[in-house]
Amino acid sequence: MRSGQMHLNVFLMDAGHHEAAWRLPEANPHIGYDVPALQELARTAERGKLDSLFIADIPALWMGFAQRPQAALDPLLLLTMMAAVTSRVGLIATLSTTYNEPYNLARRVATLDHLSGGRAGWNIVTTPGREVARNFGLDDQPDHAGRYVRAGEFVEVCLKLWDSWEDDAVLADKERGVWGDDGKLHPAQHRGAHYSVQGALNVPRMPQGYPLLVQAGSSEDGKAFAARWAEAVFTSQPTLEEGQRFYRDVKALAQRELAILPGLVAVIGGTEAEAQAKQAELDALINPLYTRKHLSRLLRVEPERLVLDEELPADLPDESQIEGGKSRFSLIVGLARREKLTVRQLIARFGRSRGHHTVIGTPEQVADAMCSWWEGCAADGFNLMPPYAQAFPDFVEHVVPILQKRGVFRREYSGVTLREHYGVPRPANRYAR
C-alpha cells in the first residue's frame, strides 16, 4: 500500500472539456467570461479541499469560432478575481515564455502571490502555433527546440527577479528615515543569449519565494524541461501502462521530488448506465466536420484527406517534422493506429478528452480507477478535466468523500500556501546570509 495522499488539481475550461459540452440544455455557453460563475467553480474547488485550480491560455482564437466557446479572459486577472472569494485553494495560470518578457511576467505573478496570500502557480509553456505567432509580429512559430532553450533562460531570469529583494529588505524605519536596506536589494544584471534584464523587481519577495512551477509538455524536450524546472507536471497519458512509463522516465530524469498529475476525464452517474447515457448525450452533439477540421490541423494534413469512415492516412508526418504539439500529435496518432479507429471514431474519442484517460461510471468506479493509477505509480495525483460543467460539483460531492474515506486525500487543508499543499519547501533567497 502506498503511503501519503494524492494531489488534485482541477483544469477549468469554459463549459467543459468535452467538445460539445456547451450544447447541453443545461450548459452556460457564456461561462468563459461569466465571472460570478467562474468564482463559484473556485469556491467548489476549495470546498473539495483541492490543492489547486488551473486556467490554461493560448493568446489567439484557436479551434474555430463557430465550433465551441472561444472566450478566454486573461488568466492572471481571472485568478485575482478567484483569489478574492477563496482563501486556500491554489491558483495556477498558464503563461507563455514565447510571447512574454521575464520582467513583466515575474512582476504579475508576484503580484498574484501577494494578493492571494501565497497561492500562485505558473504553468510554464512554450506556445506553439502559427496563428499565435502572427499575433506577435512573426510570420511563423519559433522552432520547437529553440522555444525550450529560450524557456530555460526565461525561467532563470524570473528566479533572479524573484530573489532580487531579500525577505527582510524592507526596514520601514520611520525614526531613521530608512525605508529599505540597499544591501539587500540585488538587481538581476542578466545578459544572456535571449534576454537582457538589468534591474531588480519592483515588487517585494513573494510569500512563497517562488510560485509553484508547473510544466505540461510530454515531448522529449518537454520531459527534459520538466526534469530541470518543474515541481508539478500535467501530462496526458491514456493508459495505465503509458502513465507508468512516463512516471518512471520523468522521475529518473529529475532525480528529485516532483508531482506528476495525468489528466483525468470523469463522466459520473448514479449508475454506470446513467454515466454511459450522459456520455452518449454528449457524443451525439459533436459536429464531426468541425472536429475533423481541428484534427487535420493537429495532424498537419488537409481536412479532405481525413475520410470519416476510414482509418488515418498511412503517410502522416513523422513526429520529428512537427514543430508544435509534438506529444499531442504522437498521442492521437498512436491511439488511432493502436485501436484501428476510423476518423469518425477518432473524432468521438478526441472530442471527449483529447486523448486523456477517461473513466465513465459511478463515483466508486472513478475512485477505483484513480487509486489504481496512484497505487500503481502512474500518478501522484490527477489534473481533473470535467467534461461538462456539472461534472465538477458531482466529483467534489461524490468522489472526494470516497477518496477521503480511503485515506488517500485530505479532509482539511493543513497549509495555507500552494507550495505547502504540494509539499514543496519555500526556496531560500540565493543572496541571503
Side-chain angles (χ1 to χ4, degrees):
M1 177 69 78
R2 183 174 176 179
S3 61
Q5 295 185 327
M6 295 178 186
H7 299 291
L8 294 181
N9 172 82
V10 62
F11 177 179
L12 299 177
M13 184 176 180
D14 53 68
H17 285 267
H18 192 285
E19 182 70 30
W22 70 277
R23 297 185 64 194
L24 289 171
E26 67 271 24
N28 175 1
H30 309 289
I31 194 169
Y33 51 99
D34 184 339
V35 173
L38 292 166
Q39 287 177 315
E40 182 56 33
L41 290 174
R43 291 189 189 96
T44 301
E46 187 155 284
R47 188 169 70 249
K49 313 304 178 186
L50 269 64
D51 297 67
S52 50
L53 61 88
F54 163 51
I55 306 293
D57 190 52
I58 298 173
L61 289 173
W62 192 243
M63 291 193 294
F65 198 67
Q67 182 179 346
R68 64 169 296 156
Q70 289 285 312
L73 301 181
D74 180 284
L76 282 175
L77 294 177
L78 178 55
L79 290 175
T80 300
M81 297 297 292
M82 291 177 164
V85 298
T86 57
S87 62
R88 292 295 186 89
V89 69
L91 307 162
I92 301 174
T94 291
L95 299 166
S96 173
T97 60
T98 311
Y99 300 108
N100 277 297
E101 289 294 326
Y103 195 96
N104 285 350
L105 185 146
R107 185 187 186 204
R108 292 162 63 208
V109 172
T111 299
L112 176 63
D113 205 56
H114 279 284
L115 293 176
S116 65
R119 295 187 283 142
W122 175 22
N123 178 40
I124 308 163
V125 298
T126 64
T127 307
R130 181 175 296 174
E131 298 93 334
V132 182
R134 289 177 174 175
N135 287 343
F136 292 86
L138 303 176
D139 293 329
D140 205 347
Q141 62 188 345
D143 70 275
H144 186 270
R147 292 201 308 274
Y148 275 99
V149 171
R150 180 186 175 101
E153 186 181 342
F154 193 113
V155 175
E156 287 180 6
V157 178
C158 286
L159 298 184
K160 288 180 180 179
L161 290 166
W162 288 322
D163 279 340
S164 61
W165 296 42
E166 292 187 39
D167 289 313
D168 56 353
V170 177
L171 302 177
D173 188 331
K174 295 181 180 180
E175 184 175 338
R176 292 192 299 136
V178 179
W179 190 83
D181 184 343
D182 285 328
K184 296 188 175 184
L185 191 67
H186 306 278
Q189 295 182 332
H190 178 91
R191 187 174 294 278
H194 299 93
Y195 300 104
S196 178
V197 180
Q198 174 60 34
L201 206 61
N202 60 350
V203 180
R205 195 161 195 254
M206 64 181 73
Q208 294 189 105
Y210 306 155
L212 185 78
L213 301 179
V214 183
Q215 193 271 345
S218 298
S219 67
E220 291 307 310
D221 286 330
K223 287 192 289 188
F225 188 88
R228 172 69 182 88
W229 297 108
E231 294 159 326
V233 178
F234 297 153
T235 181
S236 176
Q237 305 298 327
T239 68
L240 175 63
E241 293 74 20
E242 289 169 290
Q244 289 170 326
R245 185 163 54 250
F246 180 88
Y247 189 97
R248 288 193 303 268
D249 288 351
V250 175
K251 296 277 186 172
L253 280 170
Q255 293 292 303
R256 59 184 173 81
E257 286 301 314
L258 76 170
I260 295 179
L261 283 70
L264 176 68
V265 178
V267 181
I268 304 168
T271 64
E272 185 174 352
E274 185 181 308
Q276 292 287 356
K278 174 57 74 172
Q279 184 67 70
E281 180 185 10
L282 285 161
D283 291 348
L285 296 173
I286 292 176
N287 185 324
L289 295 181
Y290 279 147
T291 308
R292 183 179 72 166
K293 184 177 180 180
H294 181 46
L295 187 63
S296 73
R297 184 164 51 202
L298 288 171
L299 300 181
R300 277 47 171 197
V301 297
E302 293 300 317
E304 295 73 25
R305 295 194 60 214
L306 298 179
V307 181
L308 288 176
D309 294 309
E310 297 179 7
E311 293 183 29
L312 292 178
D315 58 342
L316 291 175
D318 185 79
E319 183 186 298
S320 62
Q321 300 171 271
I322 303 298
E323 283 297 339
K326 283 179 181 284
S327 57
R328 182 71 54 190
F329 173 89
S330 296
L331 187 151
I332 293 168
V333 174
L335 172 67
R337 303 286 195 223
R338 183 172 60 251
E339 300 189 20
K340 300 186 182 303
L341 301 176
T342 66
V343 170
R344 190 185 301 276
Q345 291 168 329
L346 181 61
I347 282 171
R349 295 283 289 277
F350 180 73
R352 287 180 181 182
S353 64
R354 302 191 305 286
H356 290 270
H357 181 53
T358 302
V359 181
I360 305 168
T362 65
E364 286 281 353
Q365 288 173 315
V366 173
D368 287 345
M370 295 173 71
C371 289
S372 175
W373 279 55
W374 187 69
E375 292 172 359
C377 291
D380 295 311
F382 296 90
N383 184 24
L384 307 174
M385 301 171 60
Y388 52 96
Q390 185 56 37
F392 181 44
D394 286 348
F395 182 94
V396 166
E397 292 167 19
H398 302 295
V399 180
V400 166
I402 297 171
L403 298 175
Q404 291 171 330
K405 186 176 180 181
R406 296 183 186 185
V408 298
F409 189 64
R410 69 170 65 87
R411 291 183 180 273
E412 294 293 339
Y413 289 108
S414 58
V416 175
T417 71
L418 179 54
R419 286 181 161 270
E420 289 174 323
H421 299 342
Y422 279 87
V424 180
R426 185 180 190 270
N429 189 303
R430 70 186 70 193
Y431 302 109
R433 296 178 182 178

